Amino acid sequence: MTLEEAKKEINRLADCLWSDFDKNPNKMTYGEAIAYEEVCHILDEIDTEPVGNPDKLTLNELAKELRKLFEFKYLTCDGCGDQRDYCIWLDKPEYTRDGWIVYTISSVVNSLLLFESYKLAIQLDLSEYKDADGNIDYSKCIVEVKE
């Protein structure tokens, strides 16, 4: 039963009680009818908005979506201000002060795809990577994709 169906059923019960009360007024029927109406008012106050922001993805969600298209192990994000670079990797990269890098001769081969944030059709929510000052700690912006 959905929330809307429950509200309709409770309203129907309240209407039945009011009808009974009109035929045979008594305190018990009156109290029950009032109680059912109060339940409906409470249910009207329930927040049924989806949790989170549907216009934004997390780094984990982006990794899962990209994994449907590419075989890779890691997704990283690096940036400055609103400009961010996202990269998918075959091997686990390490973070240096200059950004993400794989310390191998084949680092270019290990990096499958690099794209910038302005090329995304949806904004990414990186709030889980913010430090105490509210700045994004890019050294933590790495997602390992499970197979």
Side-chain angles (χ1 to χ4, degrees):
M1 178 179 283
T2 67
L3 179 61
E4 289 305 314
E5 290 169 337
K7 287 195 283 189
K8 284 180 184 176
E9 179 62 16
I10 293 168
N11 274 324
R12 187 190 67 72
L13 292 170
D15 289 344
C16 288
L17 287 165
W18 283 122
S19 178
D20 288 349
F21 181 76
D22 287 342
K23 295 175 190 167
N24 183 15
N26 67 55
K27 289 181 182 178
M28 189 171 161
T29 306
Y30 177 81
E32 287 179 17
I34 292 291
Y36 277 105
E37 285 185 346
E38 188 57 32
V39 167
C40 283
H41 293 305
I42 291 169
L43 291 177
D44 285 337
E45 298 300 315
I46 291 177
D47 184 9
T48 57
E49 291 299 312
V51 176
N53 187 340
D55 295 330
K56 290 188 177 186
L57 287 175
T58 64
L59 200 56
N60 270 315
E61 292 168 335
L62 177 61
K64 287 176 186 172
E65 292 301 314
L66 288 172
R67 187 64 168 94
K68 293 175 183 176
L69 301 172
F70 302 100
E71 286 189 27
F72 66 97
K73 291 287 284 176
Y74 297 91
L75 171 66
T76 61
C77 176
D78 194 20
C80 181
D82 290 338
Q83 183 63 36
R84 297 188 182 103
D85 295 326
Y86 300 94
C87 192
I88 59 176
W89 305 84
L90 295 176
D91 296 324
K92 186 174 184 177
E94 294 183 34
Y95 190 82
T96 67
R97 193 166 21 129
D98 297 326
W100 292 101
I101 189 166
V102 173
Y103 291 107
T104 64
I105 195 91
S106 60
S107 62
V108 173
V109 174
N110 289 326
S111 173
L112 292 178
L113 177 68
L114 172 68
F115 54 97
E116 296 173 330
S117 56
Y118 75 89
K119 294 183 180 174
L120 291 174
I122 191 166
Q123 296 234 338
L124 253 62
D125 178 5
L126 299 175
S127 59
E128 64 187 293
Y129 303 104
K130 288 186 178 179
D131 61 17
D133 297 325
N135 299 315
I136 296 170
D137 181 355
Y138 289 103
S139 68
K140 294 184 174 133
C141 290
I142 182 169
V143 173
E144 181 177 4
V145 180
K146 305 292 183 198
E147 310 221 8

